[in-house]
Amino acid sequence: MVEVMAFGELLAAHPFPPGSPGTPPDAVTDWTHALDAYEAACRALRRNDREGVLRHLDDGRHAMACLESRLVGEPPPARLPPCFFDPRHGPSTAEVPWMPPAGTRRNVPVCAADAVRLREGSLPIASGHPARLPAAPAPPLRGRIAPDKLALSGLAAAFIGYAAVLFAVGDRTGAVLYLAAGYAPPAIAVVSGFHLASWGPRLWRLIRRGRLTRADFDRSEATSSGRRDVYAVADVSGRRYERVRKTSDPSAKPLPQQRVWYLPSRGGGAELLGFWSVLWLPLGVAVALPLFAASLAATFYLFPGRLVLALLS
């Protein structure tokens, strides 16, 4: 905000010497209050607290006005409220009658410029004060609720709504079954499908182009749960590929080499898999494939299969 920067420049350029002998203690207190107000305004600015910024700047300006008065031997000025139309205009200098478009006439404290404009029949200087601006329209629902929560609420509503439809068409058993375990088949299908999509292509590449090689120890990296040993393999072009081996015993000495499977890809590049991948990859695919097929079939049986059967019966 420009006002915070301007107030900071005012403090930096002010010649007040707080540590000089003979400096009035009250003047030092005013100077300290001005510095504290500037820091508070900076913190409010970082929080995007516009009201707080303006309030702290007003405190700082009043402290500087008191400081100036004390330095010349005059009593400090009375604390005046900020300009009603925009606190950025500074402290008010007078109270003048004013009537909003849909309100009653009343006296408001205004700065010198706005006092002149109102006496001349002109509008006040355009305000940036949030309290004086028209109320903003309420944000749309998706702007007030996080997208993930909105999606979760929509899924829950659809889940309950479908069970209600099944109950309405006479399939009470299907409605109870869907409410009790209708979420399980889609969840299993998503998890097993994710693993199948990850393991299947790797297994295919392992069968077609995989070769067993040795990876040399490259470095160790400490972790919160132990250590990571990094092994590397370089291809004919000099490009390096790494495989990480985790250990929970930081005192264990890493092996100089490790046997790995080197899996080149068609688009260039490669991937390193552990030695026992030749066993767990086929086992993982053998388990994930029937799980995915069965859970997908169960999902379609519950939705929309039960509803179709109930409508046709």
Side-chain angles (χ1 to χ4, degrees), residues 154-165:
L155 287 175
F159 183 81
I160 297 175
Y162 180 69
V165 171

Side-chain angles (χ1 to χ4, degrees), residues 87-128:
R88 296 177 299 177
H89 297 170
S92 58
T93 60
E95 284 195 353
V96 297
W98 175 75
M99 185 176 64
T104 58
R105 181 176 295 274
R106 62 186 185 273
N107 291 334
V108 294
V110 296
C111 62
D114 280 340
V116 173
R117 294 177 66 87
L118 288 174
R119 280 197 297 266
E120 294 176 348
S122 303
L123 292 176
I125 300 173
S127 170

Side-chain angles (χ1 to χ4, degrees), residues 109-219:
V110 296
C111 62
D114 280 340
V116 173
R117 294 177 66 87
L118 288 174
R119 280 197 297 266
E120 294 176 348
S122 303
L123 292 176
I125 300 173
S127 170
H129 196 300
R132 314 295 179 231
L133 295 177
L141 183 61
R142 63 181 180 181
R144 287 180 284 159
I145 304 178
D148 54 344
K149 293 183 178 180
L150 190 62
L152 188 62
S153 301
L155 287 175
F159 183 81
I160 297 175
Y162 180 69
V165 171
L166 286 178
F167 190 85
V169 297
D171 189 3
R172 294 179 173 82
T173 303
V176 173
L177 180 65
Y178 189 75
L179 285 176
Y183 56 86
I188 296 174
V190 169
V191 174
S192 59
F194 174 79
H195 286 92
L196 190 61
S198 175
W199 295 338
R202 287 179 176 174
L203 178 61
W204 180 249
R205 287 162 54 200
L206 179 64
I207 295 172
R208 292 288 303 274
R209 298 187 296 275
R211 61 183 176 88
L212 194 61
T213 185
R214 292 186 179 274
D216 297 322
F217 173 75
D218 184 71
R219 66 187 184 278

Side-chain angles (χ1 to χ4, degrees), residues 221-271:
E221 300 173 350
T223 64
S224 58
S225 58
R227 192 186 68 214
R228 290 161 33 108
D229 297 330
V230 181
Y231 294 82
V233 173
D235 60 13
V236 293
S237 64
R239 187 181 301 177
R240 289 166 49 85
Y241 303 98
E242 296 181 346
R243 171 152 182 86
V244 175
R245 181 176 180 270
K246 297 181 180 180
T247 176
S248 58
D249 185 8
S251 62
K253 187 177 180 181
L255 299 174
Q257 288 184 328
Q258 187 183 36
R259 300 180 72 185
V260 296
W261 288 96
Y262 178 83
L263 273 65
S265 59
R266 288 185 178 181
E271 182 181 9

